[in-house]
Amino acid sequence: MTKTSDSKGVKQSQSTSPKRSARATAKPVKAQANAAAASMRAAIALGEDSTRQFKRDMTSGDALAAELVAFSNAQGGTLFLGVADDGTTPGLSAADVRRLNQLISNTAAHAVRSALAVYTENVAVGEGRVVIVLTIPKGLDKPYFDKNGIIWLKAGADKRRVNSKEELRRLFQLAGEFHADELPTKAGVAALDELRFRDFLRDQHGQKLPARTSDRLRLLVNLNLATDDGKLNLAGLLLFGEQPQRFKPAFVVKAVKFPGTGIHASKYDDTEDFIGTLRSVFDASLAFVVRNLHKVQAGRGVNSPGLTEIPAVVFEELLVNALVHRDYLISAPIRLFVFDDRIEIISPGTLPNNLTVAKIRAGNSNLRNPILASFVAKGLLPYRGLGSGVLRALEAWPAIDFLDDRDGGHFVATVRRAAGPADVEESETPQVTAQDTPQVTAQDTAQDTAQDTAQVTPQVTAQDTAQVTAQVTAQVTAQVTAQVTAQVTPQVEALVAGLEGEPTRAELQAAVGLAHREHFRKAYLIPALEAGLIAMTRPDKPQSRSQRYRLTAAGLASRGQIRRGSR
């Protein structure tokens, strides 16, 4: 009996085991199908956009190829086959599914260049009907085009053809096929700032500027700054062009200080457009920000220079990033807005390739303009590369927000200021003057006023002590005091107000309308140098025949105040 019972028990167990196994398998499969259906309905409920497209059916391979190309050239997406425009799901028959699967396979492999690897999932919607969920990945070999050579782009929930050179260039830029800074301009070798380029060659390569134009062109081509047909490329123009905005007028920085916390149509406290080479634009933009920041006493004496409420190094890093990494395929300026509660730096173009705000906060980088980056890293700007600039800015001032505005086509860095007057203690001198030079220039560049004045002092004081004010001593250093500011004369103001670019002594003298060289030197040039408002381009060789002069950060700030009539 026991054996029989055991035997029956075994037989019964053997006979029911497949059924139990089938039921056990069916449960997760059904659950998975239900989850897929629920996920699909949730996606459909969101409607069509740049990542989702509904199609009741498709019969044309060309039409399907256009959809695949548009998604691949964008961020990828999902095509729902068997879903009507209104979001209802009539589904597809089994015969439709077989036909469409074949159409999808053939189109992705043979009607798109380059071929695509797509993914399909069949989701049951009842009554034997199915929706095909076709997933198209973001393309890795952009730009993609159909068999007729047409490049399609997403335009909201729809698509459109590429119809301009600018769009085509941007696609190739995203693919890494070329970069905006290597595009040729209309500027010839004659547009080169010879002295600036000569100094660069001497300091970085230890060689002289060739005398013959043909030799200069060959050198520029070898440095990847010009094309073979004698035109400066964009990098060459922006770094070493004499007047870059003659050829690229949109590549400037437009700076505005608005009252309050919002943009006004016609009301502002301070405004200026900054032009010139990247170095000139950077210096002027940094000076604009600094002169519009509050000064904090920070425990110092009343005659000591105040510290800016936000460290200047923050804006140094962010401005360099904006100038080097902006999208130069977009003909628009960088905008610099100063509000009572924040400073915004708005750069044309979004983050390139796969970069995100989270990634740049982590120190990741992606070079959009590699020629510019390679040259400014040699000292043309305070640029260190490797994505460390953002990290340094955040370390110095954590209250920085970043916005990658894909719809607006720009990238915004927002530096938050202190909440109000209770949090910011202003010093005796809210505007930037010569007394502010140390804390500005020490974080600015290696060619700051501290170095310039140290080089100037020995040759000046030996012969011109009687003409320099009593407050300026033979040991003029980076600790320029407020007493110097008080001694800025109308002659120095005239020189600073009229200084543009990097003129020679003779050009400066002509600009203020003087014929007597010695009078100009003693009444204008020397006091401006001693006040830290201007500096020599070659401080190591004060008597050089190729000596030129430039405004320091304090000089740039002072020029803005003079021109506004606020001094």
Side-chain angles (χ1 to χ4, degrees), residues 152-297:
W152 297 91
L153 296 177
K154 292 298 293 182
D158 206 347
K159 63 184 181 301
R160 61 178 177 81
R161 301 184 183 200
V162 169
N163 51 24
S164 71
K165 292 186 297 183
E166 288 73 19
E167 286 181 320
L168 189 58
R169 286 171 177 169
R170 189 165 292 111
L171 280 172
F172 278 103
Q173 182 187 50
L174 290 172
E177 297 294 333
F178 90 104
H179 302 92
D181 57 351
E182 67 184 3
L183 285 175
T185 68
K186 295 181 179 179
V189 177
L192 192 70
D193 184 333
E194 293 185 6
L195 292 179
R196 186 182 298 273
F197 188 53
R198 180 209 61 195
D199 291 347
F200 171 80
L201 290 176
R202 180 197 65 217
D203 297 340
Q204 294 296 323
H205 299 282
Q207 67 180 89
K208 295 182 179 180
L209 178 68
R212 295 195 308 177
T213 301
S214 59
D215 293 336
R216 292 182 186 182
L217 175 59
R218 183 162 54 252
L219 179 60
L220 287 165
V221 171
N222 291 340
L223 290 172
N224 207 9
L225 295 172
T227 61
D228 291 328
D229 60 353
K231 302 296 183 183
L232 296 179
N233 61 23
L234 186 61
L237 178 66
L238 294 177
L239 293 171
F240 300 110
E242 192 162 12
Q243 296 179 11
Q245 285 70 33
R246 284 175 51 204
F247 305 94
K248 296 292 181 180
F251 296 158
V252 301
V253 170
K254 289 184 173 290
V256 185
K257 165 63 172 74
F258 290 106
T261 59
I263 294 177
H264 299 269
S266 59
K267 187 178 180 182
Y268 58 84
D269 294 333
D270 191 3
T271 183
E272 197 166 350
D273 292 353
F274 301 120
I275 63 174
T277 61
L278 289 191
R279 179 76 221 195
S280 299
V281 172
F282 167 79
D283 287 338
S285 300
L286 181 62
F288 179 89
V289 174
V290 170
R291 79 178 181 231
N292 282 293
L293 292 177
H294 298 295
K295 304 301 178 297
V296 183
Q297 188 172 348

Side-chain angles (χ1 to χ4, degrees), residues 282 286 311-325 345 381-385 387-396 400 402 413 443-444:
F282 167 79
L286 181 62
V313 68
V314 172
F315 302 102
E316 179 182 295
E317 299 292 353
L318 296 179
L319 285 169
V320 168
N321 276 334
L323 291 167
V324 174
H325 298 305
I345 301 173
L381 287 178
Y383 174 75
R384 289 110 181 152
S388 57
V390 169
L391 293 181
R392 272 188 296 276
L394 288 169
E395 182 179 353
I400 305 176
F402 300 102
Q443 301 167 41
D444 192 352

Side-chain angles (χ1 to χ4, degrees), residues 37-188:
S39 176
M40 181 189 74
R41 291 191 183 94
I44 292 173
L46 295 174
E48 293 181 298
D49 61 14
S50 295
T51 62
R52 288 181 299 275
Q53 190 79 31
F54 303 158
K55 295 293 180 182
R56 173 65 182 83
D57 193 2
M58 295 199 80
T59 58
S60 168
D62 288 347
L64 178 59
E67 300 293 345
L68 299 183
V69 167
F71 276 122
S72 298
N73 282 330
Q75 301 300 311
T78 306
L79 189 61
F80 295 88
L81 300 172
V83 178
D85 291 340
D86 61 2
T88 56
T89 55
L92 303 164
S93 67
D96 289 333
V97 171
R98 289 192 295 271
R99 173 179 54 81
L100 280 170
N101 277 330
Q102 187 65 41
L103 181 65
I104 292 168
S105 177
N106 290 338
T107 302
H110 305 297
V112 176
R113 303 290 184 274
S114 300
L116 293 172
V118 298
Y119 173 78
T120 62
E121 181 181 10
N122 297 340
V123 180
V125 293
E127 299 181 0
R129 309 289 286 183
V130 168
V131 168
I132 297 178
V133 181
L134 173 59
T135 301
I136 303 100
K138 177 182 177 180
L140 299 176
D141 191 23
K142 298 177 183 178
Y144 291 84
F145 48 91
D146 63 20
K147 67 180 183 181
N148 299 313
I150 300 173
I151 298 174
W152 297 91
L153 296 177
K154 292 298 293 182
D158 206 347
K159 63 184 181 301
R160 61 178 177 81
R161 301 184 183 200
V162 169
N163 51 24
S164 71
K165 292 186 297 183
E166 288 73 19
E167 286 181 320
L168 189 58
R169 286 171 177 169
R170 189 165 292 111
L171 280 172
F172 278 103
Q173 182 187 50
L174 290 172
E177 297 294 333
F178 90 104
H179 302 92
D181 57 351
E182 67 184 3
L183 285 175
T185 68
K186 295 181 179 179

